[in-house]
Amino acid sequence: MTQTAAALSQDAQTAIADALNQSVAETAVTTMLAQNFHWNVTGMAFGPLHALFQEIYEDHFQAQDDLAERVKALDAHAEGTLAGMIARSKVAENDGHGDAKSMIEAMKSAQETLAATLAGCGELAAEHGDTLTEDLCIARGQTHEKFAWFLRAHLR
């Protein structure tokens, strides 16, 4: 049965909010990763990579807000500290040193991680009948898979 956030049990709200906070954390770390690469990429593909990394961090900045606001709709606390996000994230920080290929590979991996995390969050939401969170996770996961495809294309 489909349920709104307010109709979900407290246990369901807590579990889904925790999965969403995981998504927020990984999105925040990936946002900074993309901005770092945007600033530091060099080489023959500078122009298109500079633009792609900017497209990614601008998309992800808005996504953080969308995901965190869904946490709040579930009447939970949205993780808002960088330290908390870094500790929670499966996406690792990167110092921005390295060539364009290593940046692309790191960003591709981050996008794939985010897509998988959001797929899991969406499955959890579906199990509890939270189709609104499921829909958000599906849409975000599709975006991350698209960015991963763009990045894989650069590596071929």
Side-chain angles (χ1 to χ4, degrees):
M1 171 171 39
T2 299
Q3 299 187 65
T4 62
L8 293 167
S9 71
Q10 183 62 51
D11 287 345
Q13 287 178 339
T14 299
I16 295 165
D18 187 57
L20 283 167
N21 270 319
Q22 180 71 37
S23 300
V24 172
E26 291 174 10
T27 303
V29 172
T30 305
T31 301
M32 193 67 239
L33 188 70
Q35 195 162 38
N36 188 359
F37 291 166
H38 167 80
W39 292 329
N40 290 302
V41 69
T42 59
M44 293 300 293
F46 168 80
L49 289 175
H50 185 74
L52 178 57
F53 291 143
Q54 181 172 349
E55 181 182 353
I56 291 170
Y57 75 71
E58 287 175 349
D59 168 83
H60 290 21
F61 185 80
Q62 179 61 51
Q64 292 173 66
D65 193 52
D66 294 342
L67 293 163
E69 286 179 353
R70 188 63 190 163
V71 171
K72 296 308 296 177
L74 292 163
D75 200 29
H77 179 77
E79 173 62 60
T81 67
L82 294 176
M85 291 180 191
I86 291 167
R88 182 187 283 260
S89 179
K90 291 179 274 182
V91 175
E93 288 187 289
N94 185 299
D95 66 8
H97 289 90
D99 61 13
K101 184 177 179 183
S102 67
M103 291 178 182
I104 294 166
E105 288 171 345
M107 184 57 62
K108 179 187 71 68
S109 177
Q111 295 301 321
E112 292 168 346
T113 298
L114 270 164
T117 295
L118 285 156
C121 184
E123 286 177 17
L124 177 66
E127 289 171 14
H128 291 286
D130 181 0
T131 57
L132 299 177
T133 298
E134 180 187 17
D135 182 65
L136 174 61
C137 292
I138 289 169
R140 287 303 316 154
Q142 289 171 338
T143 298
H144 295 295
E145 285 203 332
K146 183 178 178 181
F147 282 133
W149 160 53
F150 287 178
L151 294 156
R152 278 192 306 274
H154 277 278
L155 295 171
R156 292 190 176 135

